[in-house]
């Protein structure tokens, strides 16, 4: 069996930072080296993206509180629209890998079940307020999705046409343009 030599590097940690260092090692499965490499990988990726003009984007996806997802991207366009019961917001990003990410968020939705259009009237109806008359309504949780498209053409069916037109115009613009002034 051939012996493999592993490079050995020394890292100095101050006494004040030792609890943080130990906690990072615990989270990395007991290996301080794994924690350091993971942190450095994340740092290099974020900094390279920042230098290239990309922002770190964190969005919520799922129903209700959902979960957070993160990526590097440049915002190309945003569109909002609403109905009497719900709001929608579309944001489209070009990612560092050249894909398109469409984040679609919808507000909670409240609607009257019995007589659509009279929701406000029911709220001001003194009989309903006193509990003499009945009132019914429905509720849908807020929700958000992240749709990823490999190409601009694939993005077309995932967002409204008016937003697609804006994104298509900006899709090839550089994230950062260096000027020699």
């Amino acid at each position: 069996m051939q012996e493999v030599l592993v490079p050995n590097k020394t890292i100095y940690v101050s006494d004040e930072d030792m609890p943080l260092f130990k906690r990072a090692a615990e989270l990395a499965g007991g290996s301080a080296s794994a924690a350091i490499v993971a942190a450095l990988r994340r740092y290099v990726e974020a900094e390279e993206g920042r230098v290239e003009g990309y922002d770190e984007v964190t969005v919520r996806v799922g129903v209700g509180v959902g979960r957070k997802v993160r990526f590097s991207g440049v915002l190309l366009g945003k569109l909002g629209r609403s109905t009497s019961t719900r709001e929608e917001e579309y944001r489209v990003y070009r990612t560092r890998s050249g894909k398109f990410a469409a984040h679609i968020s919808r507000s909670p939705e409240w609607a009257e079940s019995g007589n659509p259009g009279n929701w406000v009237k029911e709220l001001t109806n003194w009989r309903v307020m006193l509990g003499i008359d009945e009132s019914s309504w429905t509720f849908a949780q807020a929700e958000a999705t992240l749709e990823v498209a490999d190409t601009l053409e694939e993005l077309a069916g995932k967002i409204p046409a008016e937003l697609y037109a804006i994104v298509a115009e900006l899709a090839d613009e550089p994230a950062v343009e260096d000027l020699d002034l």
Side-chain angles (χ1 to χ4, degrees):
M1 184 190 301
Q2 184 179 6
E3 186 177 322
V4 178
L5 295 176
V6 178
N8 188 8
K9 301 292 178 191
T10 304
I11 296 176
Y12 295 97
V13 179
S14 69
D15 289 338
E16 298 114 27
D17 292 334
M18 207 53 194
L20 175 66
F21 191 77
K22 286 181 180 178
R23 180 64 182 138
E26 287 172 14
L27 291 171
S31 170
S33 177
I36 292 167
V37 169
L40 286 173
R41 186 173 288 119
R42 174 95 176 93
Y43 174 77
V44 167
E45 184 179 307
E47 282 302 300
E48 284 178 348
R50 188 186 62 74
V51 167
E52 293 171 10
Y54 293 91
D55 296 318
E56 184 174 274
V57 179
T58 304
V59 295
R60 286 197 180 276
V61 295
V63 177
V65 174
R67 69 185 198 289
K68 290 181 181 178
V69 296
R70 181 173 38 218
F71 60 93
S72 290
V74 173
L75 181 64
L76 296 177
K78 179 174 152 180
L79 177 127
R81 60 184 178 189
S82 65
T83 66
S84 61
T85 61
R86 181 172 251 187
E87 295 176 359
E88 291 180 323
E89 183 176 78
Y90 294 79
R91 291 177 188 237
V92 178
Y93 301 87
R94 184 180 60 236
T95 68
R96 209 168 150 216
S97 64
K99 296 180 181 181
F100 297 92
H103 182 249
I104 302 138
S105 61
R106 293 175 179 89
S107 70
E109 183 173 30
W110 291 89
E112 178 192 356
S113 297
N115 190 0
N118 283 342
W119 189 66
V120 173
K121 185 177 175 186
E122 273 197 26
L123 287 178
T124 59
N125 183 336
W126 65 271
R127 289 176 190 241
V128 171
M129 301 296 256
L130 292 174
I132 299 169
D133 273 352
E134 291 186 13
S135 177
S136 60
W137 46 268
T138 60
F139 170 77
Q141 286 277 3
E143 61 181 334
T145 58
L146 185 68
E147 300 282 338
V148 179
D150 291 330
T151 65
L152 190 59
E153 293 75 25
E154 191 181 315
L155 181 66
K158 299 179 187 226
I159 60 173
E162 58 268 36
L163 179 57
Y164 180 80
I166 294 168
V167 170
E169 261 186 57
L170 300 172
D172 294 327
E173 292 291 319
V176 172
E177 182 179 355
D178 290 320
L179 301 177
D180 186 19
L181 302 175

